[in-house]
Amino acid sequence: MPYTDKNGYVPHTMEEVMQLILLDINDQFNTSYSYDQFVGTGFYKFFYVLAQRIVALDTSFAEVYAKLQDYVRFMNEQINAPAVNPERALKILRTAGFTASVRPVTQDTAGELAFCVDLDDKLPNYATQKQRVLDILKTCTAGGIYFAGTETGTSILSNGQAMPYAFFLPARYEVSLKLTIHASASSGLAVPLESQIKQTLADNLAAMYRMGVDFEPERYFTVSRDASYAAAVKLEYQKETGGAWSDEVYKADFKDLFVFNQERMETVVL
């Protein structure tokens, strides 16, 4: 049965098997049948059933080999897969009610894991919440991995060994927002109340913004989605009170957390 690196084992066809049988018959019985002559002989009828079985076995072998290749490929992926899946850890933390982010891996941080979890260390139940986070990190990661972070502690493995874990608390910024709306004279639509505009902006931020992601002002309030009554809109942010207003993309660290409040939102309609 022929083999190629691209297609693996390729089963013989019926004609190919019968051609091989023909060669053996001519050699064994000192005959010189052509294939067309062979088709009309008793030999052909006798060996046809055998050829069908050979083709069937070839096909079965090729299928088994293909499945074996899939299995080897799957096992190699399992072996080469990282011991830690950060996205899985983030999902479990979020399911448990924690807002979290993970530091992207760079050449300087290779071999380290760094999570940021939105906890308030001034609350009375902080110690309990901190231990819950440490226990979750234990269940989502392999033992012996180094964790970077300011909030450190241990969690007990199934063998009774206490392993160290850590995470960071977020850097919070009480961000102010200014939304400038240029009303469209041709739309014929009325501009909503300021409270309604602020609520739409607040809802968009709650749905789309996450800790540790770049803040892209143009994503959170658009003409097409939120303001068909407007010709143009511009959202600006002020990271710190008294700081400069900007509508540029803010390149966030994984610990950065913008905190929004409608009381710090300003709308300007032109």
Side-chain angles (χ1 to χ4, degrees):
M1 183 165 40
Y3 173 85
T4 65
D5 292 336
K6 181 179 180 180
N7 298 319
Y9 284 104
V10 179
H12 288 105
T13 65
M14 280 292 296
E15 183 174 344
E16 289 172 337
V17 174
M18 296 304 288
Q19 287 278 14
L20 292 173
I21 293 174
L22 171 60
L23 291 176
D24 287 340
I25 288 174
N26 282 337
D27 181 65
Q28 181 70 27
F29 296 99
N30 197 27
T31 55
S32 57
Y33 291 122
S34 67
Y35 188 78
D36 289 339
Q37 292 171 331
F38 176 57
V39 170
T41 66
F43 285 123
Y44 185 88
K45 296 178 182 178
F46 179 82
F47 285 108
Y48 190 83
V49 175
L50 175 62
Q52 286 181 314
R53 295 294 297 165
I54 293 173
V55 170
L57 290 173
D58 274 5
T59 302
S60 297
F61 181 85
E63 291 175 350
V64 169
Y65 184 80
K67 291 178 180 178
L68 177 61
Q69 285 182 310
D70 290 340
Y71 173 76
V72 171
R73 188 180 301 111
F74 171 77
M75 292 306 298
N76 285 338
E77 289 173 353
Q78 293 290 97
I79 293 169
N80 294 325
V84 179
N85 184 336
E87 289 303 318
R88 177 174 176 268
L90 289 177
K91 182 178 180 180
I92 294 176
L93 283 166
R94 290 167 187 159
T95 301
F98 297 105
T99 299
S101 61
V102 63
R103 181 175 64 189
V105 177
T106 65
Q107 184 175 357
D108 294 333
T109 62
E112 298 180 1
L113 267 179
F115 288 91
C116 181
V117 183
D118 184 13
L119 291 179
D120 188 344
D121 58 354
K122 298 178 179 62
L123 293 178
N125 67 340
Y126 172 70
T128 300
Q129 295 291 80
K130 172 185 172 181
Q131 190 59 51
R132 284 188 63 203
V133 171
L134 297 176
D135 291 340
I136 290 173
L137 293 179
K138 174 193 68 176
T139 63
C140 299
T141 58
I145 292 176
Y146 176 77
F147 284 81
T150 56
E151 311 305 299
T152 60
T154 60
S155 187
I156 308 300
L157 303 181
S158 58
N159 63 1
Q161 182 181 6
M163 292 294 294
Y165 296 91
F167 61 93
F168 289 96
L169 294 178
R172 298 173 183 271
Y173 298 97
E174 302 287 337
V175 175
S176 298
L177 299 173
K178 179 168 64 175
L179 179 62
T180 302
I181 299 174
H182 294 264
S184 172
S186 60
S187 71
L189 299 174
V191 177
L193 297 174
E194 181 181 21
S195 59
Q196 294 174 307
I197 296 173
K198 287 183 177 181
Q199 187 61 55
T200 298
L201 176 57
D203 291 342
N204 290 344
L205 289 165
M208 292 184 281
Y209 174 76
R210 291 189 296 112
M211 178 176 68
V213 301
D214 294 347
F215 185 73
E216 304 171 7
E218 63 181 17
R219 292 186 60 214
Y220 301 104
F221 200 92
T222 67
V223 171
S224 59
R225 183 187 61 224
D226 308 303
S228 54
Y229 51 84
V233 298
K234 182 171 75 170
L235 179 63
E236 299 171 275
Y237 64 93
Q238 189 183 60
K239 184 180 173 184
E240 298 174 351
T241 303
W245 289 96
S246 175
D247 63 348
E248 299 296 321
V249 174
Y250 175 77
K251 297 295 184 179
D253 182 79
F254 80 106
K255 299 190 298 293
D256 287 348
L257 175 61
F258 281 10
V259 180
F260 308 102
N261 189 304
Q262 289 193 39
E263 294 180 358
R264 295 191 302 275
M265 294 181 185
E266 175 187 355
T267 60
V268 179
V269 180
L270 303 176

